[in-house]
Amino acid sequence: MLQIGLEMIHVFSESVGIQMNLVKLKAIMGQGFVGDLPVILAKPQTYMNLSGESVICFFYSYYHTFKNLCRL
């Protein structure tokens, strides 16, 4: 049951043609578009109780501050 989020990203990425082939920031990632909207998908590769490590690496690498994320 803990893997449902990872499975959801897998199914979604396949349905929109995004290859999950980048390994960085403690995650398997894919970049692409859903319609005209650019998206980045990430599947953390840390244990469940440490998944925040991957998320925070991603957050600061792409958005740098919470203020930038809120502008999306």
Side-chain angles (χ1 to χ4, degrees):
M1 199 63 160
L2 296 175
Q3 300 295 327
I4 193 85
L6 298 179
E7 183 62 24
M8 186 181 87
I9 291 172
H10 174 75
V11 170
F12 179 73
S13 67
E14 285 190 342
S15 74
V16 294
I18 296 175
Q19 293 184 1
M20 301 295 290
N21 58 1
L22 302 171
V23 178
K24 65 188 230 185
L25 305 174
K26 298 183 181 181
I28 297 174
M29 302 174 65
Q31 295 180 290
F33 290 87
V34 176
D36 294 332
L37 182 67
V39 296
I40 301 170
L41 303 175
K43 296 195 283 188
Q45 296 300 292
T46 54
Y47 288 104
M48 182 65 174
N49 57 344
L50 298 176
S51 62
E53 290 180 7
S54 179
V55 173
I56 201 74
C57 287
F58 171 82
F59 176 79
Y60 282 115
S61 291
Y62 285 91
Y63 298 107
H64 306 290
T65 68
F66 185 71
K67 184 177 173 183
N68 290 339
L69 181 62
C70 292
R71 283 191 261 177
L72 296 177

